[in-house]
């Protein structure tokens, strides 16, 4: 499909650069022109469909960097997953992908599935068989026997098993490797959240195998020991990074400085229910944790927005609520929009393909009412979503 989309404001990015009365022309999946409406319209044909939003804002599609499509965000998503046959689980994943798309998310990084279902869904979306955002799939995450998310099928023990698991995921066509460097909250009977699951040598082996396959590595790490091992191994992103120790928080400034120096990005995976989390966790302790993220950013660590969608309370249509967490820790709306578009694309290594409105990039577009650069709530007023040149069903111009 070829179409011209115009709006009263256009955020071309990066840095919140605004073009008044801007437009994008795309042909198939690729943007062919972007800029002031007069210049772009001159390149469109008289028969090209036009959608105009004079009171709206046109910006790049949003990027949710941490979701779990295999989980349903209910009170016990693990039990639901374990009881579901693959066909039922896949149908649920497809429905949750549609929810993401409807909120303006045009790229999502899935960080843990069962049996390669997210890879299959990724390919079905890319082929137009299923609506949804572009997916970056980690496949089955590596964990220790009985470790965090063991029920997804990624248990490994010893160097040979680690190599085999990484190679198996790579052969399935994953976009990255995920490793559970520490325990986690949703695995009943598993290691505590602060406890490391792999030695530094084992994590280094995972990174080495992933690199040989040309794949980045995301490390789930709440505990400081696991964070230290992940930094030493040279992972690309650290998920959560809550600095948990046996007796409480255990923050190491040297590791923060190493992350900044090595370009390791931190995805706090702030749930859409982060306010409720603060109440359950204890407001004082939660604010200490939240403030630490702001401090890390001030020391040069790049942050990455993600919802952890799928775990309890983390719904698939709450990305804007997760973005408001960054406003809570001191970022401006303009900085947050940048974080969820150009910044996320850069951190995930896809900035040559998406995250901006420019000729040659994917036609990943979002139109909202109002101005999200001054008020993030505008991102909830979705008027149009285009993902890879396809207009989302149920929105203006959809099919």
């Amino acid at each position: 499909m070829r179409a011209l989309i115009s709006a009263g404001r256009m955020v071309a990015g990066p840095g919140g650069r605004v073009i008044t009365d801007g437009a994008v022309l795309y042909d198939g999946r690729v943007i062919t022109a972007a800029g002031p409406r007069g210049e772009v319209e001159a390149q469109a044909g008289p028969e090209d469909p036009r959608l105009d939003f004079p009171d709206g804002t046109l910006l790049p599609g949003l990027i949710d960097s941490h979701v779990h499509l295999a989980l349903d965000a209910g009170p016990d998503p693990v039990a639901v997953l374990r009881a579901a046959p693959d066909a039922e689980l896949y149908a649920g994943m497809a429905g949750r992908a549609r929810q993401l798309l409807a909120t303006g998310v045009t790229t999502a990084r899935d960080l843990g599935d069962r049996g390669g279902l997210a890879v299959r869904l990724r390919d079905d979306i890319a082929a137009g068989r299923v609506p949804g955002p572009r997916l970056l799939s980690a496949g089955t995450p590596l964990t220790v026997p009985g470790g965090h998310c063991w029920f997804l099928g990624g248990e490994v023990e010893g160097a040979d098993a680690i190599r085999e698991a990484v190679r198996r995921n790579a052969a399935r066509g994953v976009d990255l490797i995920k490793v559970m460097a520490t325990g986690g909250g949703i695995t009943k009977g598993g290691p505590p959240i602060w406890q490391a699951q792999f030695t530094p040598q084992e994590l280094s082996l995972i990174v080495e195998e992933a690199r040989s396959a040309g794949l980045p590595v995301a490390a789930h790490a709440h505990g400081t020991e696991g964070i230290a091992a992940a930094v030493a191994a040279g992972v690309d992103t650290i998920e959560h990074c809550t600095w948990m120790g046996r007796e409480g928080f255990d923050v190491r400034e040297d590791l923060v400085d190493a992350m900044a120096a090595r370009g390791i990005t931190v995805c706090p995976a702030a749930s859409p229910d982060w306010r409720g989390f603060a109440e359950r966790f204890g407001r004082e302790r939660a604010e200490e944790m939240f403030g630490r993220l702001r401090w890390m950013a001030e020391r040069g660590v790049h942050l990455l927005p993600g919802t952890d969608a799928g775990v309890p309370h983390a719904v698939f249509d709450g990305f804007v609520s997760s973005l408001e967490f960054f406003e809570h820790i001191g970022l401006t709306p303009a900085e947050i929009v940048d974080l969820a578009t150009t910044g996320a694309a850069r951190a995930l290594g896809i900035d040559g393909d998406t995250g901006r409105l420019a000729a040659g990039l994917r036609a990943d577009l979002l139109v909202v009412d109002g101005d999200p650069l001054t008020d993030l709530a505008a991102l909830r007023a979705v008027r149009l979503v285009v993902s890879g040149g396809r207009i989302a069903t149920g929105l203006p111009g959809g099919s």
Side-chain angles (χ1 to χ4, degrees):
M1 177 180 178
R2 181 177 165 94
L4 177 77
I5 312 296
S6 57
R9 285 173 301 276
M10 185 174 90
V11 182
R17 182 171 60 87
V18 174
I19 297 174
T20 301
D21 199 21
V24 167
L25 177 67
Y26 66 89
D27 191 354
R29 298 188 178 191
V30 179
I31 295 172
T32 57
R37 185 212 297 253
E39 296 177 10
V40 176
E41 275 190 325
Q43 302 180 52
E47 73 287 351
D48 290 334
R50 286 163 165 78
L51 289 172
D52 182 31
F53 302 88
D55 297 322
T57 299
L58 171 61
L59 66 155
L62 305 176
I63 300 173
D64 187 337
S65 301
H66 190 130
V67 306
H68 298 283
L69 289 165
L71 303 177
D72 72 353
D76 193 350
V78 175
V80 174
L81 176 144
R82 295 185 66 190
D86 279 359
E88 180 182 328
L89 181 57
Y90 181 84
M93 293 169 66
R96 293 185 277 274
R98 286 193 294 272
Q99 281 186 284
L100 287 171
L101 182 63
T103 63
V105 172
T106 57
T107 298
R109 189 175 59 150
D110 186 278
L111 292 183
D113 73 357
R114 186 181 77 190
L117 289 177
V119 174
R120 175 183 155 197
L121 179 59
R122 177 200 67 192
D123 294 346
D124 282 346
I125 290 171
R129 293 186 289 269
V130 176
R134 172 200 192 170
L135 293 182
L136 304 175
S137 172
T140 304
L142 277 66
T143 191
V144 297
H148 183 44
C149 289
W150 62 268
F151 44 81
L152 294 176
E155 293 173 293
V156 293
E157 186 172 21
D160 290 344
I162 287 171
R163 289 191 184 93
E164 181 183 350
V166 175
R167 292 171 184 174
R168 182 170 60 248
N169 271 339
R172 282 177 169 166
V174 299
D175 301 287
L176 72 153
I177 298 297
K178 172 77 177 294
V179 56
M180 301 302 192
T182 71
I186 65 169
T187 304
K188 297 174 182 177
I193 198 169
W194 52 264
Q195 185 172 305
Q197 296 198 147
F198 291 93
T199 67
Q201 294 76 22
E202 289 170 331
L203 280 180
S204 293
L205 178 59
I206 291 168
V207 172
E208 177 187 324
E209 282 294 326
R211 292 285 184 272
S212 65
L215 297 172
V217 177
H220 160 108
H222 281 285
T224 301
E225 184 181 355
I227 293 169
V231 171
V235 302
D236 296 274
T237 67
I238 295 177
E239 313 301 310
H240 309 292
C241 198
T242 50
W243 301 103
M244 296 290 187
R246 183 188 295 266
E247 304 298 331
F249 294 124
D250 179 21
V251 183
R252 284 181 47 184
E253 292 189 24
D254 62 315
L255 293 178
V256 173
D257 292 341
M259 290 179 205
R262 300 175 190 178
I264 298 173
T265 304
V266 168
C267 179
S271 168
D273 186 47
W274 59 272
R275 297 175 182 87
F277 164 81
E279 295 295 333
R280 294 187 297 272
F281 190 66
R283 182 165 294 278
E284 187 174 332
R285 292 177 69 207
E287 287 300 335
E288 182 182 354
M289 185 187 298
F290 297 165
R292 191 166 297 116
L293 284 163
R294 179 172 55 247
W295 167 76
M296 289 170 63
E298 290 168 351
R299 294 183 74 95
V301 175
H302 294 293
L303 301 180
L304 191 57
T307 55
D308 212 4
V311 305
H313 308 290
V315 294
F316 287 86
D317 57 359
F319 189 45
V320 180
S321 294
S322 287
L323 293 181
E324 288 169 342
F325 167 80
F326 292 96
E327 191 170 29
H328 180 73
I329 66 171
L331 278 69
T332 67
E335 289 171 331
I336 295 164
V337 168
D338 202 26
L339 201 70
T341 55
T342 59
R346 188 182 311 115
L348 300 183
I350 55 174
D351 53 318
D353 191 40
T354 193
R356 294 174 291 124
L357 301 182
L361 300 189
R362 272 175 57 100
D364 292 337
L365 319 173
L366 171 62
V367 179
V368 299
D369 284 331
D371 183 4
L373 299 182
T374 59
D375 183 2
L376 286 177
L379 292 174
R380 292 189 172 89
V382 175
R383 298 292 306 281
L384 179 73
V385 182
V386 180
S387 181
R390 298 189 183 100
I391 294 178
T393 303
L395 293 167
S399 57

